[in-house]
Amino acid sequence: MHIEQGVTNGTHYRFYKNKRVTFTSECGPITQIVFYCVGVGNGQYGPAGFTSNPPEYAVVDNLGIWTNSGSTWVEFTASNFQVRATKIVVTVGGEMGLFPPRITPAGGTYYEPIDVNINCSTEGAAIYYTTDGREPTTGSPLYTAPFTISESTTVKAISAKDGETSEVVTAQYEIFSDLCLGDLEALPDGEVVAFNHELTVLYQKGYYLYVRGECEHVYNYGQIYGNTGQTYYLGDIIPPGWGGRKTTYDGRPELTNPTGFQPATRNEQVFPELITIPQVGESTLWHYVLLKDVYIDQDNQVVRDQEGNSCPYYPQLTVWFDPTELLDVYAIVTSYRSGFQLLIIEEGLPLPPPPEVCCLADLYNNFEKGKVAQFECPLTVIYHNGANLFVKDSCGEYGLIYGNNAGGPFENGDLILGQASWTLYQGNKQLANHGEWTKVGKTDPVEPIVLPVEELCTDMVYWFVKLENVTLGGDVYEPLIEDETGSVLIFNRFNVEIIEDYGPGGEMSPDVNMDNEVNIADINCIIDRILKGQTTPEWVGGDGTYDIIGFVSVYKGMIEIIPIKIVHHGGKYVLIGDVNGDGELNIADVNEIIDIILSD
């Protein structure tokens, strides 16, 4: 087995996204490969992350099963997402192993009784199952026909034949009645629930989602914390099937570990409730509200009315407001240290233009983390790849703008303007963009700084550098760039391909099998290749060294290089097998080798 890029950590194999694992056999055809995965189906780390070549691959719960009758080479690619497997079983020759059963429909949340079917691809195998959570054995009920379940149930099954039993497969079914959002408070902490009614979105910020549900013409409000996998806007309607784990935070119920959140089916207009500061409390908790003609006192982090009443707000504002200016504040009422506060919806305020900065140091030194500023002096683009935008400012400092909405794509030398705040990643400052950046001109491309490895240091984060005449070493866990002055980690974040540049000069070699001798074995090797249709000669490079261009980064306190270009050069190249230099492997090369042998 060869893993192109992955990790074996003692408990499971990790196959990273877009990387391959190859199985080869020299003792017979591979008839079956089974991956026992950490996840189920197309869930996180599940077997559906793989595609195979040849393509005879099927997914059964946490198992990925490949079957074939005559292949000695099989390749799997984690095309869809990373796959993790605790065990891999490869069958070579003979009959294919006993298949585990397959339970349909797949486990999940349902809102009416369902019929459960269980089948097995192994001819003549019996199926045994349980519905009480216990592990099935050959003494469990024998499956003979589909059965109906009308309440939350865990179905487990095995197949059996000739004294052999398969792995246990499991399907968990959650079947819910009309539970309302308002029923959360009465449920015990830790209970996983799902709901069969729609939700109206009030506000979403990061992992916080504020919603309103309606049961029997009564509104219920709630807070959901966690990654829903969706982006929602005010008035979006979330379809039934959403759920999560009930917890208690700050003395009040909330839903965490959200599941089943689907894209909005429609959008309906929602108006805020007009309230005053004294009305901020339990009766308006998680409501979408409007407070008219109030002041935002950022020194004390409160919203204040003209009578002197005040209420704290969550300090997430990115701009500064005049404390003497009356404003209309849209907000969500949230809990705060057993009390209440306002989560101000900044989009509803008459936002003043952000202050201007000219360089990265100005932003880092004069603005708090998260405060937005407008760059008045263009930044020069060095490299743009997805969410990563590496730049250099007018003062010669390097930086990284991280975010998926930066605009572009941009090229080295593009001059751009936009808005950003700063944040921390791995203890280093980087920019978070706010809106798209605009190209305003073009200048000469930024050239990397040529440095030896020993001069790299943690003060050089995001520097654009070139390491010349280095070698690549280390291992799969800690690949290294090495020169005579030292070594440094390399992290190929952008999956850069190595460019082969051997330079002028090369040679043709009659040593076809590369055993450092010219003999009858080389003739047999050419004939074997010709019979297999391999008539194109093969170029093979020498050791050589590398030039690596990329950016300095720091991960867990250690310096690493993120390459954007790797050039392999300085070695020789050899044309294997084309002895007479006509560009093909053919019988003429065999005759040439015979002449060489006879002349010796």
Side-chain angles (χ1 to χ4, degrees):
M1 179 179 73
H2 170 70
I3 304 175
E4 182 179 66
Q5 184 177 351
V7 174
T8 304
N9 73 347
T11 61
H12 58 260
Y13 302 91
R14 298 182 184 182
F15 306 98
Y16 294 144
K17 190 174 187 296
N18 295 325
K19 298 302 178 181
R20 295 181 291 270
V21 55
T22 304
F23 297 84
T24 57
S25 170
E26 297 180 356
C27 55
I30 302 173
T31 55
Q32 185 183 72
I33 300 174
V34 181
F35 294 90
Y36 293 78
C37 293
V38 173
V40 176
N42 63 359
Q44 187 179 33
Y45 308 138
F50 275 141
T51 56
S52 70
N53 179 28
E56 293 87 349
Y57 182 67
V59 173
V60 180
D61 297 319
N62 72 313
L63 304 179
I65 305 172
W66 179 91
T67 56
N68 193 280
S69 59
S71 179
T72 58
W73 175 90
V74 190
E75 181 179 85
F76 296 87
T77 303
S79 304
N80 303 317
F81 44 78
Q82 183 185 141
V83 179
R84 296 186 181 182
T86 57
K87 182 170 67 172
I88 304 171
V89 177
V90 180
T91 303
V92 177
E95 297 184 359
M96 289 179 286
L98 176 65
F99 284 100
R102 184 173 185 177
I103 306 174
T104 56
T109 302
Y110 296 86
Y111 298 97
E112 58 186 5
I114 59 172
D115 292 330
V116 176
N117 293 269
I118 313 177
N119 56 63
C120 180
S121 299
T122 301
E123 185 176 356
I127 299 172
Y128 300 90
Y129 72 100
T130 62
T131 57
D132 57 5
R134 288 185 289 184
E135 296 296 292
T137 67
T138 53
S140 301
L142 175 68
Y143 175 81
T144 57
F147 55 92
T148 302
I149 59 174
S150 55
E151 59 184 17
S152 296
T153 304
T154 298
V155 178
K156 298 184 177 183
I158 58 171
S159 53
K161 184 180 180 182
D162 298 334
E164 180 184 359
T165 57
S166 73
E167 295 284 327
V168 176
V169 294
T170 302
Q172 291 182 310
Y173 301 98
E174 301 287 346
I175 300 178
F176 291 96
S177 58
D178 293 331
L179 190 68
C180 287
L181 181 62
D183 297 329
L184 266 184
E185 188 166 8
L187 297 176
D189 281 1
E191 182 162 341
V192 177
V193 292
F195 297 82
N196 190 24
H197 65 80
E198 295 179 331
L199 283 180
T200 299
V201 174
L202 302 178
Y203 186 54
Q204 183 182 39
K205 186 173 182 65
Y207 280 1
Y208 288 91
L209 177 65
Y210 299 93
V211 294
R212 184 183 70 193
E214 183 177 2
C215 287
E216 298 180 354
H217 307 293
V218 175
Y219 283 146
N220 299 291
Y221 297 83
Q223 172 179 280
I224 297 162
Y225 178 77
N227 185 8
T228 63
Q230 307 292 335
T231 299
Y232 296 117
Y233 301 95
L234 174 65
D236 278 353
I237 304 300
I238 300 174
W242 54 274
R245 185 182 303 276
K246 189 262 178 163
T247 60
T248 298
Y249 177 74
D250 201 20
R252 296 173 176 83
E254 70 174 10
L255 203 64
T256 61
N257 304 105
T259 59
F261 281 79
Q262 301 300 314
T265 56
R266 64 187 187 279
N267 185 277
E268 297 180 355
Q269 191 168 16
V270 176
F271 296 98
E273 301 171 36
L274 182 62
I275 68 169
T276 62
I277 288 178
Q279 291 175 303
V280 174
E282 196 72 46
S283 63
T284 55
L285 181 61
W286 299 315
H287 290 215
Y288 171 48
V289 299
L290 169 62
L291 297 95
K292 297 183 69 67
D293 295 329
V294 294
Y295 305 103
I296 297 179
D297 180 352
Q298 287 168 279
D299 286 333
N300 297 294
Q301 294 182 352
V302 297
V303 175
R304 196 183 312 277
D305 64 19
Q306 297 178 68
E307 286 73 41
N309 299 303
S310 64
C311 176
Y313 70 84
Y314 180 74
Q316 90 292 350
L317 297 178
T318 60
V319 296
W320 193 263
F321 295 93
D322 184 346
T324 64
E325 180 183 0
L326 289 172
L327 300 170
D328 292 343
V329 171
Y330 295 81
I332 300 292
V333 178
T334 66
S335 61
Y336 175 67
R337 295 181 181 176
S338 301
F340 303 93
Q341 66 178 2
L342 296 171
L343 176 60
I344 297 175
I345 300 173
E346 203 168 20
E347 296 88 336
L349 294 169
L351 298 180
E356 295 183 339
V357 295
C358 193
C359 61
L360 297 172
D362 188 6
L363 177 66
Y364 296 155
N365 296 331
N366 298 319
F367 288 79
E368 296 178 6
K369 177 183 174 184
K371 298 297 183 182
V372 179
Q374 170 71 48
F375 277 84
E376 61 174 337
C377 300
L379 301 177
T380 303
V381 172
I382 303 175
Y383 180 72
H384 190 191
N385 187 310
N388 300 275
L389 180 55
F390 292 89
V391 296
K392 189 176 184 180
D393 69 11
S394 58
C395 300
E397 296 296 323
Y398 296 91
L400 170 64
I401 303 173
Y402 187 81
N404 289 315
N405 302 308
F410 300 116
E411 298 178 348
N412 193 344
D414 286 346
L415 298 173
I416 59 172
L417 287 175
Q419 297 179 6
S421 61
W422 67 266
T423 185
L424 289 174
Y425 177 73
Q426 292 288 328
N428 299 296
K429 292 179 180 177
Q430 66 181 32
L431 300 187
N433 67 285
H434 290 259
E436 290 193 356
W437 287 70
T438 304
K439 180 179 176 180
V440 295
K442 187 81 175 179
T443 188
D444 293 334
V446 178
E447 296 294 334
I449 302 171
V450 179
L451 291 172
V453 170
E454 68 176 351
E455 292 188 14
L456 299 174
C457 66
T458 55
D459 293 334
M460 295 179 179
V461 175
Y462 309 132
W463 277 36
F464 186 41
V465 300
K466 181 179 182 181
L467 306 177
E468 295 183 332
N469 299 319
V470 298
T471 58
L472 295 177
D475 54 34
V476 68
Y477 303 106
E478 287 192 351
L480 299 174
I481 299 171
E482 300 173 325
D483 66 8
E484 60 185 11
T485 70
S487 63
V488 65
L489 289 171
I490 181 171
F491 172 41
N492 193 2
R493 177 189 294 178
F494 304 119
N495 296 317
V496 177
E497 299 289 340
I498 296 177
I499 301 171
E500 298 291 354
D501 180 22
Y502 297 115
E507 60 187 50
M508 292 173 289
S509 173
D511 184 16
V512 186
N513 64 353
M514 301 180 70
D515 63 356
N516 296 319
E517 293 184 13
V518 179
N519 51 35
I520 193 69
D522 297 302
I523 295 175
N524 294 334
C525 190
I526 286 185
I527 293 173
D528 184 57
R529 290 191 181 187
I530 293 172
L531 291 175
K532 291 181 179 179
Q534 299 174 355
T535 59
T536 302
E538 180 182 3
W539 290 100
V540 179
D543 292 336
T545 59
Y546 298 83
D547 287 346
I548 298 178
I549 296 175
F551 298 93
V552 180
S553 180
V554 174
Y555 180 70
K556 294 184 178 179
M558 300 182 66
I559 301 173
E560 64 180 9
I561 296 295
I562 300 173
I564 63 172
K565 186 176 182 180
I566 304 175
V567 179
H568 182 204
H569 68 92
K572 67 179 182 178
Y573 61 95
V574 180
L575 189 57
I576 301 295
D578 185 19
V579 188
N580 65 352
D582 65 357
E584 292 185 1
L585 293 183
N586 49 41
I587 198 66
D589 297 303
V590 173
N591 294 331
E592 193 77 16
I593 291 178
I594 293 173
D595 290 342
I596 292 173
I597 294 173
L598 293 176
S599 66
D600 291 340

